[in-house]
Structures are given as structure tokens and as C-alpha cells.
Amino acid sequence: MTIVEKGSTKGTVTDSQGKYSISLSSSQATLIFSYIGFVAQEVAVNGRSIVDVSLKEDATQLGEVVVTALGITKDKKALGYSVTEVKGSEFTQARENNVANALSGKIAGVNATGLSTGPGGSSRIIIRGNGSLTGDNQPLYVINGMPIDNTVPGGSATTNGGQGNVDRGDGIAGINPDDIESISVLKGGTAAALYGSRAANGVILITTKKGKAQRGIGVEYNSTFTMENAAVFPDWQYEYGQGDGAAKPTTQAQGIAWGRRSWGAKIDGSDFVAADGQTHPYSAQKDNIKNFYQTGKTFTNTLAFTGGNEKVNYRFSLSDLDAKGILPTNTYKRKTGNLNINGSFGDKISLEAVAQYTLENGHNKTGAGDALGNPNWTPYMIGNTSDIRWLNPGYDASGNEIAWNDADIASNSYFVVNKYQQDDSKNRFIGQLGLTYKILKNLSVKGTVSRDFYNYNYRYILPTGTRYIPNGQYNQLKTDVSETNSMLTANYNTTFGHFGFSALAGMNQRNFSYNQLNLTGATFTIPFFYSSTNLATSSTTPLNQHTRTNSVFGSIDLDYKGVAFLTATGRQDWFSTLSPQNNTIFYPSVGGSFVLSQAFQLPRLFDYAKVRASWAQVGGATPDPYVINLTYSMIPSSGQPLQNVTTNVTTSSGLANAALKPLTSTTFEAGIDLQFFNKKLGLDLTYYNRATTNDIVQTSTSPTSGYNSVYLNVGKLNNRGIEALVTVTPIRTANFGWNMSYNVAYNQSKVVKLADGINSMQMATSVGNWAYINSIEGSSYGTIVGTTRVRDAKGNIVYDPASGFAQKSALQELGKGVPPLTMGFTNEFKYKNFSLNILLDGKFGNKVFSVMEVYANRMGKLKRTLDGRENGLTLTGVTPTGDTYTRTVAKENLRVYYDNDKNYTELFLHDGSFVKLRQVIFSYNIPTSALKFAKLQSASISFVARNLLTLYKQTDNFDPEQSFTNSSNQGFESLGLPRTRSYGANLIVKF
Amino acid sequence: MKNRLYKFTYCLLALCTLQSCDKGLEELNINPDASSTVSPDFVFTKAQYDAVGNMITGLQGTMQYTTSYNDVASWGSKYIFNQGTAPYTVFSNAYPNEINEIGEVIRALEKDPLLVNKLAIAKIWRAYSFSKITDLYGDIPYKQAAQGYTQSIFKPTYDAQKDIYADILSELEKAIALFDATKSTFGAADLIYGGDITKWKKFAYSLMLRMGMRMTKPDVALAETWVKKAIAGSLITEDADIAKIVYLSSGQVINQNPLAYWMLNSDYLKADGVSNPEGGKYHETFINYLKKTNDPRLPVLSVVYVGGNPVRTLAFRKECLLRFPIPNHLILSPTQNPIRTQF
């Protein structure tokens, strides 16, 4: 409880027993007692030395107030849509470096996936399905009411990229969890209407911690140390060892040529010669993953100071995160300074300001995708009788890469971690200033300016001495991104009779600018000297994008006796990315809720019952700038000048289209909120239907049209589903409490229409074009497409007698890339000062295609390749004409036979469903009485673990959550970093 | 009080509409790094580079000229399914590049009667570019090709090869008729003939001859008419008339010989004769064939390295080639093989 002396700067807070002391300026002073969720009380001291008060619960508030659009707090029962709030402490104890990853499993309908790319990596969050056929489909992030940027500088990693295909980290990765008071997730369109087009995919509202009126300076110290280790290991075969043609290597030449092949003789403990030229026992080496990767360590320290009085309060925090990844030499450091000031000048004017500076430094982040420069290749693919450490350090005396296998494109992982260089740094400033002027008691005007700016530098060096590219390559990115919003709003509220009325009107201008220089070059003239000045060839590509959206908006709220609520909003946007004839759209929303339990006398069983429904439209203009007019660009030339038709500035060959108009996303949702048995059982059910029409699609066209794609307003996409949240409190006593919370969501995604004459759109391809991610009319967004072995009506495999291999089918749909069913189950136990929080997280119904397994199959590491090792493999099936077909592949030729399996996508496609023990937090609130000497206000210590166990999965050799890009293209595994288990301790002390 | 609110809201709205909420938006949407007008000369040069450079890379492996001990690079000779895109890239690259570019050049030049010579050359170049694709792939989109922007045709229909040859022939004839020696022409932007009208006529007639010969199977009478027309014109008969682009040996990649650049920057990057990343060397089938036919090019095809240094004696090269070609069953990297293909 906070106690302040009215009209002075004096204040204090109570201790855990509720005791306090305060020195007053006069014995006739008045004290103000306040506590969140309770009605504040003013008590005149009247000369007393002991003043005891007990506050009344604020019936309208307790647990029911949520932060909604524009940072406005609303009574939860007044909302016509679903909002979920998560407290900041959920992110600080068992922390993820990227705070967004910690949302996984916590909120129904929010599909959060942390990438397996090490510290500093991005996250991918999808709320109620992928809403648009283009764009990243991720929600808008908002801090204290103003949007921030969440771009990945230089773009997300691609699904099939080679050297330098790293995850450079997104915007939310730069937010320090310790500065977060709470996170609200607005899932519906109504919730988002006030943020405009970018909110069509939902909004994640972050409210940062603020200062409060108190005596002296409050100090909070939060320290976390976590360790992580690779937690998922492939289930390889260890019966036949390294080698080829059923023979083991006996010379160094063979040891190298067969370095990644496990097609050798039966493992028998005899001698063989490995790639290092040494003789080793021919025995299984099962720990290459453990031996190559190290224990990752993250040490985070945050120190926060708070203070202030009734007029002005502040919070200032400094935070340092120092992480060492599981990949040797990979580090990530993040320093954050955050200042939050709130003040009021007189009765009329109040001010709020936030300034945050973040410095992020990454070193040697992992690559994923193709083989070159991918540090994860060797530990997975090295022959199964070789110990990866025999390849350490991966380079010779002159610094050249040492060969370990027949294909130089498959880099020596030790050479990659020791000699490749990848460094990035991001300086980011977020500033917000809001000024409110109270014209009347119930009419105020607020002006806010916010700017999120970052400057990013990236340098990637493929060094001299790389076997595949001996003279090296160089890539440098300089990216400046800013998101600036200026907003003016007016708020008015009044009551007449039983009606409450409030209105809001506002205007906003958003300016976004992205300026980038991308320098690529090759061949270091002076070997081992890595500067852009030392390149034989180089080229610089500029990318300068500027967009602006102007908006006016308004909102009206009506309530009747606190029983029935109605909200209507409207917004008009003008987009710079579209032509003046088509650049504006108006979109409305309406929502209402009705509290049955207050309107009617319900059976005693019901404590609370509310129904809600809403309908909302959101307009959008997703295309990049400059795609409405055909332009011509110069091509760098050393001879005659060259010019070409400008293809889309970010991707390739997109045809401009001046007729583009804004797209519309329409959401209908209805729900019911019930509480029974003295609030021991709660149920929250939601149905939604979200349709995107006139979607701006970069549709693939036949390249013979002169362009590989064109922007068209043709897409129609539908996402509908149900969300349920069940809360149970089986036990609630003074000393012991047990809360259960289960959330589940099912989203059915359907591509209703692409373009006339086009029913499939390719979004991504795997390495080797072995699988595709397409959006296909009538199917889910992001369907995995590939080939199968042709079978006859009886299920026999059809063989081509000419080649001796199974016939490959045409491309067909093989499964969903995004899980439709997600759920989370939290159990929280409290006993006196102890608490235990256990979160289970599950996703179901998607497929994952594994590029790693394609290689592992070719290299003889998959268990399925054991067939035929002893006496050859006999194939039986039918010919295309229906005759019986049989042939035996000699054991010496198995490698070539199995290698051909890469033509059949189905063999390496697995169910991606899983259930994981996502998080366990065991914490102890240290009684301050025990630490009185230290003058502590509170202290707690927690033991935390993330991703502790996988309880269910269908993939033998990798983790189903093996994503390495936060783009919309999900469904591939491609030799990324192994998933990890982390565990650690967290200490919070408040003085 | 409510009035005040309304007044305020109206003011807000008025402020926005009067100031015009889309003011400045159009100007903001202009790409600072691109031009809204075309420079036909520059695009023409690009179309020349693109049409000439658009070829099947890796052909030496497909055709079994070279092979390797490793699986990926040796798919031509070891009968391993190719996982690359080589067979269709010429087709899919041609249209968004040289075909669309030359179309844009023609669209720009057609507007100005003073530029008929440039227009004629551009039309001849388009005919040549199409002839390359149909020679490779047979029936291809032709009439409706590369009209995505001008006609919004996103899925052009295919035309029969004989109709394409017939149309190319008449296009060539029309283009030749456009030439007017009194008007200006391309200068250095034409990498092949520097805008020389006489030479372009020879090129066009020679292409007419080739297309005419292509027609001998579907329509021998028509073929004869065109071949005679071509011979009656002026054909390429001497070295000075050869259509060729002289590439630069350094500088931007696009200015360098694409075939040589591709090889020298992939498998044959490390010029020491022993190590290539993909292990590509001459294939014994090819070498044995040259040997059998006593082909005089045999020693010219290669570079031989001794101790990392190239040896240029022809007899020595020949001797090495005959001794060290790679048999297709090789699965281990040869430790001794000093030969490197030459470009």
C-alpha cells in the first residue's frame, strides 16, 4: 500500500505485514492510502500517531482492468472482444532473451514460436492465423500506446540460403523484460481498429513500469543466470560405420572422401583411418552434438530506481545482458537504459515521457539453410565413427580450411566458428513524449510524439582459405530504420441518467523509413585482410524506402448501468504506397457486451456471466513503396551504361500496378465469459471469423509475361476458429493455493481465392527444391508441397524399369506448415512463501520437412538406411504397366540408391505435433523480517527452467520447433542450431 | 459541453480534410534510386549482354565433357538425378530479361521516327533472342510474350515453333526495310557492331538464312523462298562481320565473359591444377572420342599445371590429357591430376 501526505512530496509504502511509518509536516495532515485494485482513501490524521485503515476492494477494478488500444485502460467487462493480459513477472523469472518467445502457450489463439537461432534471435507470433498472403503477418507491437518497429534489418533469413543466412534479430528482441509491467494481447479487429492497418494481425501492447509516489528512492535489483544445452539429439544408426561401398576408410584420402558417409563396414572396434589421417578404433561416436556445442550461458542484471511524489515520478533502469550461445564463439550482448517520467503541472497539464536506448552486439550467429558456412553441418553429418573433435580447429598452419569430406561446400564447422566472422551491432533509441491538457474535468486533449529509430551494422566475412571459395567473400549491411508517429487525440466523457458516454477523436501521422546500403564483394586481394577496400569485385545496392500513413479516427463508448456496453469506432487512412485515386479507405467497427449476471438473477452457481460480440473492419496497404509505377534502374557497369526495368526493390521481378487499392480484413467474433462456484471455475469461449478480401498479393506470373510476379488486389483468405480458456482454482486457503489455467485454440485457415487462372502461389523452396511452401486455393495458408513415390491401386510402389527407381509423383499437397491446434496448460501452486509454476505447451496438426534428414539419408545415418546393408536391398513393386517388378541393389551400391530418395518429399516429412514441458518456476519469497538488517522491502529467489522436456513428438531426429526464419514461410527444418533446454536462477530484491 | 466536443471533433476533421490528408503522399512514393523514363540505349546494351549470356551453365557436366569424383558435380556421367535447375533456367531467365528489355527498347523507340535505325536493330535483336529460345525449347510463348505490363497478359499462350520461325523471318524482313542511312544509329551502346547498319543487315540476312533452314522440315517451299531471299541479301562472309561481344577481363561481373566467369568462380576457382571444390576434370569418354577422331583441338582445351604453374607446351598438354582423364566410376579425389579445363 502506498501512503502519501496530501499536498506534499512525502510518501512511503507498507511492509509485508502492512506496517508503515511516515513523518508528516503537520499533525493535522491528511494521508492518502492507495493500492491497486482498491478504492483510495483519504484519512485526516487529527493528531494521531497510529492511523489504521483497511481499503475497500474496487469492485469495478479488481483483476478486471485491462490496457486496450492507445494505452487506454478499460473495464474488462465493457469489452466486446477478447483481450488477454500477462503480467511482467511472467517474463522476468523464467526469461527468454526475446520476450515475445515467452508468450508461447500462455494465450489462446496466440501462436508464439521462438527461433532456434541462439541468443539475439527473432520470434514469430501469429494471432488467429496468417491474415494476408503477403507481408509477415505478425502483430503490431505497441509500447505505452505508441507503435514500435519490429523489422529484421536486411530481411528475415530465407528457407534455402547459403553463407550468411543468419537471423539478425527483430525489434522486440531489444526490449528488456524487466521494464515490462504487463503485456496485453488484442486479438480482435475491434481492439485493433484504433491502430489502423498494421493492427489487422493483432496488437501486442506493452506497458512499461512507471515510478510511483514514495519516500526516498526505491531500488529494485533483478539478476538472472541461466545455462542452456542442446537438448534434442538425432537418432542415427550406429551399426555400420564411416565409409563407402560397405568398406571402411583405410587411408587418409578415403577418410576425407568418405568423411560424411556412414556407408562402411559393420562397426567392430577394429582400426580405421579418419579424415585427420590418424588411426582410430572403428567404434560408434554418439556424442558429436554434445561434443561440438558448448553450454550456453546468459547473465542478466537489471537495476531500477523509482521515486517521486504526487506531482512527478520516475523510473530509471539499467540492464545488461551477456550471453554466450551454445555455438562455440557465438556471443550476444544487450545493454538497455530506460527512463520513464510522469508528471503533472497544476491540475490541467500532465506529461509522460519514455526514453530507451538499447545497444545490441552479436558475434558469430548461426547460419542455417544450405551447407556453405553453416556451422551445424559437420556435427550432424560427420561419419558416425568419427569424433568431431578430431577436426578441431579446422584450419592448417597457414589458416586454410582443412578438408573433412568430399564436398567442399559442406564446410568444416570448426573452421566456420573459428575463421568465419560475423558481427552486428544495433543502436536503438525509442522516445515517446505525451502531453495531456485537461480543458474541462471530463474533456482532455493529448498530443503524443514517438520515434523508434535504429542504426544497424552487419559484417559477414567468408574468409580467405575457405575450401569452396578460396579467395573469400564479404558482405556488409548498413541499415537505418525509423518509425515515427505523431498523434493528437481528444477525450470526452459524461454521464446522463443511467448512461455513461465517452468519446475519443484523433488523428495520426505515421512515417516509416528504411535506408540500407548492402555491399557485397569477393576475392580479398591481400589474403586474410578483411576490409571492403581489399576486394577485387564489389557492388553496393541501395534500398531507400519511405512510407507515410495519415489517419483520422474516432471512437464512442456507451454504457448502461454497468450492465450493457456498446463501442463503435471508425478510421480513415490515406496511404502513400498507393496511387492518389485509390489511396484511402474508411473502416468501421462495432462491439458490445452484456453482463447477464448483473442484469438478471442467475442461479447461485453463476458468479459472473457476460456475452460479447463484435464486428470490425481493418483496411490495409501492405505493398512495399514504389510498386505502383514502372521505373528503370541503372545496373552497375564497368563498360557501357546499363539500365533495366526496376524489379521490385526487395524481391525479384515484381510488376508494378497502378490500380492497387487497399485491402480489407473483416473480423466477427462472439464470446461468453462465465465464472462459477465462488469464482473457482471460469470459462471464456470465443468464436471468430476473420476474412481478408482484396488482399494485395504479389502473385507469381508466368515468367514469359516478362515479369515473375505482379501485385494484384485479388486474394481472399479466411481464418476462423475457436478459443477457450478454462481457469480452475481447486484449492484456495490462507496458506495454500492451486490455480489451473488451460487454453486451447483451433484455427482453420483457408485460401479462398488467389487470382484468375492461378490457383497456387509458391512462397518458398527448400534447399535443393526438395519441398515447397505454397498457398493453394481451397487449402491452408502455407501448405507444404512435394512429391511422393507413385503407388498403384493396391499400394504397390511403381518402379521405372529404365532407371530402377520408384516413379516420382507430380507435386502435391503434403500437409500444413502452420499448426492449426495450439494449447497451453498452467498449474500454479502457492504454499506460504513458496510458489511453483508449471507450463505445458502443445501444438498439433502441422508437418515439418527435414532437409537434414535428406542429407542424413544420403549419408547413411538414418536408421532406415540399414535395410540392405548385409545382403543388398531387394525392391519389389510393379512396373507402370502393372507387371511385377523386382531388383536387388547390391550393398556396395546402396548409397546411390538411397541418395535418390531426395526425389520423394514424403520420406522426410513428419508430423510436427508436440507437447513440451515449457516452463517450470519454483520461487521463494524471502520474508523481509528475516533480512531486516538489509532494510529490504521484498526479496524473492526463483529456480527456473525453460523447455525442460518434450513429452510428445513424432520427429526422431530433430525438434519440431526447429524454425530458423521468422518469415511467413514455416514448415522446413534445415540444419539449424539444435533446440536447447535452459535452467537457471533469478533473484529479485527491492530496497 | 457536448457542443464543444463536437466543435473540437469537427475542427480535427476539418483540419485534416482541408489540409488534404493525402498531400505529399504521391511525392513520397517516388523511388529515389530509379528513373521514371527509359534510356533505350542503356537497356539495349543490357539486352545484348543478357541474350548472349543466357546459356545452360554446367553443360560440360551434362554433356559428359567433364566429370567429378563427387556426386553433385558428376551427375552427368554417374547417372545421378540432377538436383539443379539448369535445364529450364534459360527459358525462365530469357523473358524477364532480354525479351522484356528489348520489348521496352522497341516500345520507346517506336515513338520517334528519327530513330528507325535503332528500332530496326532492336527488332533484329529481339528476333535473334527468340530464335535462341525456340531452338532450345521448341514451342514457346511468342506472340503474347512479355506483355505483362503493356497488356496485362500474365499467362501467355504458347505458339507452334514453325509459326514462330515464320514470324521471325517476316520480322527480320521488315526490320531490314526500316534501315535509313541518313538517320542516326546506336554508337558504343551496341556492343556488337557499334551501330553499323551494313553489318546489322548482314546479321539479319544471316539469321534469316538460319531460320529459313530451320523451316526445311515443316515447310520446305517456304524455307526455300526465305533462304533465297537471305542469300540475295548480304550475308556474314568474313571475320570482320562476326557478331561478337568483347568482354572485359575485370570489373563488374556483367561485363565479363559469363561462361568463363561462372567456371572460374566456381569449380575452377583455385588455379593450381589439383584442387577444385567440386572436383571437375575432363571425362574419359570425351577425351577418348577426341583421341579417336584425332581432333586437333585436343591439346588446346586444357591447362596443365606442374607444381602449381601452368605449362603451355601443346605436346605436354596432350600427353597429360590422354593420361589423366577421369573415368566415370571414380569415387575418390585423384591425388595426382594436373589438368584443368581451359577458358
Side-chain angles (χ1 to χ4, degrees), chain A residues 470 490 550 632 638 643 704 895, chain B residues 8 21 35 71 104 146 252 255:
Chain A
N550 291 332
Y632 304 87
S638 304
Q643 194 182 48
T704 60
R895 180 172 63 82
Chain B
F8 184 79
C21 277
S35 163
D71 296 348
E104 286 293 307
Q252 295 291 344
N255 307 107

Side-chain angles (χ1 to χ4, degrees), chain A residues 24-306:
Chain A
L24 302 171
S25 37
S26 135
S27 60
Q28 296 307 314
T30 300
L31 291 175
I32 302 169
F33 296 84
S34 61
Y35 193 73
I36 191 149
F38 292 81
V39 179
Q41 205 174 325
E42 288 188 17
V43 179
V45 175
N46 289 330
R48 286 179 289 174
S49 59
I50 296 172
V51 181
D52 287 332
V53 294
S54 61
L55 298 185
K56 277 190 192 138
E57 275 191 26
D58 185 340
T60 59
Q61 268 200 358
L62 188 65
E64 299 284 346
V65 176
V66 287
V67 178
T68 68
L70 305 181
I72 298 163
T73 47
K74 279 194 178 175
D75 193 344
K76 198 173 179 183
K77 70 183 178 182
L79 299 176
Y81 50 86
S82 166
V83 172
T84 314
E85 193 168 73
V86 183
K87 293 288 167 212
S89 56
E90 299 243 0
F91 306 107
T92 49
Q93 288 176 319
R95 66 182 64 217
E96 288 265 356
N97 289 334
N98 188 323
V99 68
N101 295 346
L103 288 172
S104 187
K106 294 205 169 116
I107 301 168
V110 175
N111 184 355
T113 312
L115 268 56
S116 194
T117 53
S122 308
S123 67
R124 177 158 182 85
I125 292 194
I126 291 301
I127 299 176
R128 292 179 174 174
N130 288 280
S132 171
L133 290 158
T134 41
D136 72 355
N137 288 315
Q138 294 210 72
L140 174 69
Y141 285 92
V142 168
I143 291 188
N144 297 337
M146 298 303 276
I148 60 161
D149 175 76
N150 194 38
T151 52
V152 176
S156 301
T158 62
T159 53
N160 56 4
Q163 62 273 41
N165 193 31
V166 301
D167 171 18
R168 298 190 188 91
D170 55 11
I172 190 63
I175 303 300
N176 174 19
D178 296 315
D179 292 332
I180 296 175
E181 176 73 37
S182 69
I183 291 184
S184 288
V185 178
L186 309 186
K187 293 184 278 194
T190 338
L194 293 178
Y195 281 114
S197 59
R198 290 179 309 146
N201 297 310
V203 184
I204 295 188
L205 294 171
I206 297 169
T207 306
T208 60
K209 286 178 181 162
K210 294 178 174 57
K212 55 190 171 197
Q214 66 181 82
R215 195 176 56 179
I217 297 172
V219 179
E220 183 177 334
Y221 172 66
N222 191 327
S223 179
T224 309
F225 180 73
T226 54
M227 296 196 286
E228 61 175 337
N229 283 109
V232 182
F233 304 99
D235 187 24
W236 299 145
Q237 66 85 9
Y238 294 104
E239 289 180 43
Y240 291 83
Q242 183 176 339
D244 198 16
K248 64 181 182 183
T250 53
T251 62
Q252 185 174 18
Q254 285 179 335
I256 293 171
W258 302 342
R260 55 178 186 166
R261 295 178 188 167
S262 300
W263 293 105
K266 201 158 183 103
I267 295 178
D268 57 4
S270 58
D271 288 346
F272 85 111
V273 180
D276 62 352
Q278 304 296 310
T279 301
H280 299 281
Y282 201 51
S283 316
Q285 296 291 346
K286 302 184 181 181
D287 290 331
N288 281 325
I289 302 284
K290 275 183 192 148
N291 290 337
F292 180 70
Y293 297 101
Q294 60 187 15
T295 299
K297 291 173 184 142
T298 305
F299 194 30
T300 317
N301 288 288
T302 303
L303 193 58
F305 304 91
T306 52

